[in-house]
Amino acid sequence: MVLSITGDSGVTPGSLWAVIFVIQIFAFANWSDGPWPGLRRRLHYRRYRVCQRPSARRSGSVKKHPSDGQVISVAPPMGLQKRTSILSTPNEPTWRPMAAGLAWLAPGLGHWWIGDKARAVVLAVSISALWLGGLLIGGFGAVDSKQNQWWFVGQMLTAPSVAVEGMQRTGVIRAKKGPDDRGLLTYEPPFGRSAEQGVLYTALAGLLNLLTMIDVLYRDPPPARALALKPGVAR
Amino acid sequence: MNCLSTGLHVLWAWTPLFEPLHMDDYWLWFILPLAIGIAVVYKAIRMHRLDRLLHEAAYLATQIVVFMVLAAFFIWLVTERV
């Protein structure tokens, strides 16, 4: 990606977005309160309100999941307004920028890292299938920040697209210049419906991966993994 | 049969990743895997437990496709008949 920015054609909007995204990830990692503290507080507030039903307020109750009986949270009696969660407390930041970064590197990797492995496999298979499908339909030419600058904003939300773009920029693979151009790693640029569908599939895979990154950024891991991820707890 | 042999010839001559797939005649069918992919990812994120993921994703994918067909029909009605 860095190579693509310093390529001959100068800075493109796509590569600029890539830089902004990477900076944002590092900002998340180094900012303990997160970049949007207001949003974070609101999310916490919503979480606490869930358990403050009248029945829970009267006596205080343990909230269990209906299917497996696993304790999700403990609500204190009326008067103590804050809900006590076994996974997080209001003073404990639950942003997981590392997981979001891993999700960008490979779809589903962030969920795998926080221990939500079944979800990780589903996301990895579905997003990778869409991305690979787009590449099969349009060929390597489906990811091209020069031809499709704004579509590349969506495509770069998965690291493999950025890798393909980097390979094009560094000359590892290149587009055919004519029918007689028979280089070893030259690809035929797509056109018509193939180009449309290839770009659409890869860009949509990137946008769906953005959803998974946002999801994993604030998702509570399963209880066992939550203890392992908690700072200061022996692993 | 002719269509099948043409399709096989297209696939035989196709080099994956280095050549685009020639799909101008049946590109509309590629909306189906797209809708399924969107539905599966969306439901995998939204659902607390994944027990009923396939059922819920199939339902959402059907909703997407039906809505797109209705939207296409409406647009066709407006552009061709009105």
Side-chain angles (χ1 to χ4, degrees):
Chain A
M1 186 181 59
V2 174
L3 287 170
S4 75
I5 293 161
T6 56
D8 295 337
S9 62
V11 179
T12 61
S15 51
L16 200 63
W17 274 105
V19 172
I20 290 169
F21 180 74
V22 171
I23 289 171
Q24 200 174 358
I25 288 294
F26 279 107
F28 269 122
N30 295 318
W31 198 339
S32 61
D33 199 33
W36 303 303
L39 172 68
R40 184 169 158 263
R41 270 199 299 275
R42 218 165 42 239
L43 288 169
H44 268 298
Y45 179 64
R46 195 183 66 178
R47 183 181 298 178
Y48 296 132
R49 267 182 43 188
V50 168
C51 208
Q52 292 179 6
R53 290 170 305 193
S55 59
R57 279 194 216 148
R58 275 194 295 277
S59 58
S61 65
V62 175
K63 188 180 177 189
K64 293 181 178 179
H65 196 276
S67 60
D68 56 6
Q70 184 188 353
V71 176
I72 298 170
S73 63
V74 182
M78 197 173 177
L80 296 173
Q81 288 299 314
K82 281 183 178 174
R83 171 186 170 197
T84 309
S85 169
I86 59 168
L87 300 176
S88 61
T89 63
N91 298 324
E92 179 192 349
T94 50
W95 294 101
R96 303 202 183 279
M98 177 73 172
L102 288 172
W104 176 73
L105 275 178
L109 196 58
H111 285 83
W112 185 277
W113 185 70
I114 66 165
D116 206 346
K117 294 186 177 175
R119 204 180 306 271
V121 170
V122 171
L123 291 172
V125 169
S126 47
I127 294 178
S128 302
L130 277 180
W131 185 82
L132 199 63
L135 219 61
L136 286 172
I137 292 168
F140 284 124
V143 181
D144 190 344
S145 65
K146 287 181 192 169
Q147 292 285 330
N148 311 301
Q149 292 187 345
W150 293 107
W151 282 108
F152 185 67
V153 175
Q155 290 170 332
M156 52 153 256
L157 294 168
T158 49
S161 290
V162 179
V164 170
E165 169 67 12
M167 284 161 66
Q168 291 171 353
R169 288 297 181 92
T170 52
V172 176
I173 52 173
R174 62 180 176 81
K176 274 185 182 174
K177 289 169 185 167
D180 298 330
D181 188 0
R182 296 185 186 281
L184 184 62
L185 291 175
T186 55
Y187 62 86
E188 189 180 313
F191 58 90
R193 299 292 186 198
S194 305
E196 283 173 15
Q197 296 282 312
V199 170
L200 184 64
Y201 268 66
T202 46
L204 207 70
L207 292 171
L208 289 171
N209 200 38
L210 176 66
L211 285 185
T212 68
M213 281 189 281
I214 293 170
D215 178 63
V216 81
L217 194 64
Y218 201 76
R219 177 177 285 278
D220 279 330
R225 181 65 178 156
L227 287 175
L229 290 172
K230 214 169 185 174
V233 176
R235 293 170 189 187
Chain B
M1 188 64 192
N2 190 26
C3 181
L4 181 66
S5 67
T6 309
L8 286 176
H9 273 104
V10 167
L11 281 179
W12 188 254
W14 175 53
T15 313
L17 302 179
F18 288 92
E19 281 179 24
L21 186 64
H22 299 293
M23 47 174 289
D24 286 1
D25 297 335
Y26 47 93
W27 67 275
L28 212 51
W29 291 105
F30 281 73
I31 286 171
L32 294 179
L34 205 62
I36 292 168
I38 293 168
V40 169
V41 173
Y42 180 77
K43 284 294 175 184
I45 290 171
R46 293 287 295 176
M47 290 176 73
H48 181 67
R49 295 176 66 84
L50 300 178
D51 304 347
R52 288 174 53 81
L53 175 70
L54 286 180
H55 181 266
E56 294 280 336
Y59 185 65
L60 180 60
T62 310
Q63 277 182 322
I64 293 171
V65 172
V66 167
F67 180 78
M68 286 176 79
V69 168
L70 287 178
F73 177 71
F74 178 74
I75 291 169
W76 174 80
L77 213 62
V78 169
T79 54
E80 300 293 325
R81 298 288 170 192
V82 177

